[in-house]
Amino acid sequence: MSQPAATLSKPNLAVEFAGLKLKNPLMPASGTFGYGQEFAPYLDLNRLGAIVTKGLSLKPKAGNPTPRIAETVSGMLNAIGLQNVGVDAFIYEKMPFLAQFDSPVIVNFFGNTQDEYCEVAARLDVVPGVAALEMNISCPNVKQGGIVFGTDPKAVFEVVSAVRKRMKKPLIVKLTPNVTDIRITAQAAEDAGADVISLINTITGMSVDVRSRKPRIANVIGGLSGPGIRPIAVRMTHQVVQTVKIPVIGIGGIMRAEDALEFLIVGARAVQVGTANFVDPNAMQTILDDLRVFCIEQGVSDINDLIGSLQL
Ligand SMILES: Cc1cc2nc3c(=O)[nH]c(=O)nc-3n(C[C@H](O)[C@H](O)[C@H](O)COP(=O)(O)O)c2cc1C
């Protein structure tokens, strides 16, 4: 592939899908970037493809008892318990800060019942400056004995359909990997009207302190994230890309540019970086710089040429 020198030194990193225009395919993963403001001292939020907020619920949530985080050899175990300021405080106290950036703002949200999901979505949908909503379906359905919405294809279809009717902006549905076959829940989300699928959320895990013989997090079971989950996330992204027609955002263990590229090559249109932000709050800026270097070195003038370029 021979390209003019000018295009090679300035490869196009912009991507576009579901009406969203991103300067590049990199965005933070929900819950690892606060409400953006916390990371502003470390990196230029205007450089991000999009900004993704912590998950919001109808009412503020205090989260789980501590300890809520434990480090493991291959990643991080957390049971934060979806602590957040609630939708109203977000709109009035957090959104004005985010609105000053030209990177699209994607707001992550959840509910404990279908009605709660709908109510939060409807309120966020009309907030100026919100580009899209990301719906976290890895939450227990309190009316169904606590079964996680996202593990039951019927529940996925019902809750996504109900939310779809209450909002107009692009709807990203974020899947849980804690299922036998993620293609089935992905299909249910697409059938229900999702515009985009993002995956994966954390994988349930547990860690024990062998001296105290106690679980290392107070909630006993937590969610594993970080490098150890990446091959699982890449596999699931590949499977979902092959199954649905809507765009897919890849998430899971992205620490370096090469990790992000794995997801793009299997067909993700964008990626989210989570745990890496805790290791280095500037991680996304480094990944972005290295993505550019990779494109230049490989003679790729447009990152879109890499998306879905997997050789089988
Ligand atoms: C501390 C922490 C909090 C998280 N909070 C949320 C959340 O509020 N909503 C959500 O959809 N995902 C949440 N996640 C999941 C991440 O967005 C991401 O899907 C997962 O960590 C896998 O990506 P990673 O390996 O790059 O961290 C959280 C993850 C961590 C580690």
Side-chain angles (χ1 to χ4, degrees):
M1 233 193 305
S2 78
Q3 300 285 344
T7 47
L8 279 186
S9 63
K10 226 172 172 261
N12 173 50
L13 297 184
V15 295
E16 209 176 318
F17 54 91
L20 297 168
K21 287 186 173 131
L22 276 54
K23 278 169 269 191
N24 60 71
L26 277 190
M27 59 184 99
S30 176
T32 66
F33 204 68
Y35 303 98
Q37 196 157 7
E38 296 84 340
F39 278 74
Y42 304 102
L43 81 176
D44 178 3
L45 302 194
N46 271 325
R47 284 197 71 196
L48 300 176
I51 301 167
V52 183
T53 69
K54 172 72 188 157
L56 293 165
S57 49
L58 199 53
K59 298 269 174 289
K61 248 186 133 210
N64 287 330
T66 56
R68 311 198 287 193
I69 284 185
E71 235 179 279
T72 74
V73 281
S74 54
M76 195 175 108
L77 204 55
N78 95 81
I80 303 295
L82 295 167
Q83 177 185 357
N84 77 96
V85 297
V87 71
D88 288 336
F90 171 77
I91 293 169
Y92 298 110
E93 294 164 22
K94 308 290 181 188
M95 194 57 209
F97 173 81
L98 291 173
Q100 66 182 297
F101 300 99
D102 60 14
S103 305
V105 176
I106 298 175
V107 181
N108 184 288
F109 73 100
F110 66 96
N112 291 314
T113 62
Q114 189 164 301
D115 290 347
E116 231 174 87
Y117 268 104
C118 290
E119 187 59 35
V120 185
R123 286 211 209 173
L124 290 168
D125 194 46
V126 294
V127 176
V130 171
L133 300 187
E134 181 179 57
M135 178 175 174
N136 173 9
I137 55 172
S138 304
C139 299
N141 181 348
V142 293
K143 289 203 176 142
Q144 296 258 305
I147 296 169
V148 172
F149 281 95
T151 57
D152 172 7
K154 195 164 161 274
V156 172
F157 182 81
E158 281 171 10
V159 72
V160 175
S161 303
V163 164
R164 178 72 283 175
K165 290 190 188 92
R166 297 287 301 275
M167 57 172 285
K168 294 197 176 71
K169 284 182 179 158
L171 173 61
I172 304 166
V173 175
K174 180 168 177 181
L175 301 182
T176 170
N178 301 310
V179 292
T180 312
D181 187 345
I182 199 155
R183 292 172 294 189
I184 297 170
T185 42
Q187 190 62 64
E190 179 178 46
D191 292 345
D195 297 300
V196 180
I197 281 174
S198 60
L199 78 160
I200 60 175
N201 212 312
T202 54
I203 299 177
T204 46
M206 182 172 169
S207 178
V208 176
D209 179 326
V210 294
R211 290 187 176 75
S212 68
R213 300 183 202 174
K214 288 187 171 158
R216 289 175 65 213
I217 50 176
N219 194 55
V220 183
I221 289 173
L224 186 67
S225 62
I229 72 168
R230 191 171 58 247
I232 299 169
V234 172
R235 182 264 292 176
M236 289 186 165
T237 303
H238 169 66
Q239 287 182 308
V240 170
V241 165
Q242 300 299 315
T243 303
V244 298
K245 294 184 188 71
I246 53 177
V248 172
I249 299 173
I251 321 166
I254 296 175
M255 313 302 283
R256 308 161 305 167
E258 287 207 4
D259 307 336
L261 283 158
E262 284 195 62
F263 286 90
L264 297 176
I265 289 168
V266 301
R269 307 280 278 272
V271 294
Q272 295 183 0
V273 176
T275 302
N277 296 314
F278 294 124
V279 181
D280 172 9
N282 196 31
M284 275 188 287
Q285 211 145 255
T286 309
I287 294 173
L288 181 57
D289 291 339
D290 291 348
L291 268 185
R292 188 166 281 117
V293 170
F294 179 88
C295 287
I296 294 167
E297 281 174 3
Q298 295 291 313
V300 174
S301 61
D302 185 343
I303 200 149
N304 288 282
D305 294 342
L306 287 175
I307 293 174
S309 64
L310 183 70
Q311 302 292 306
L312 289 174

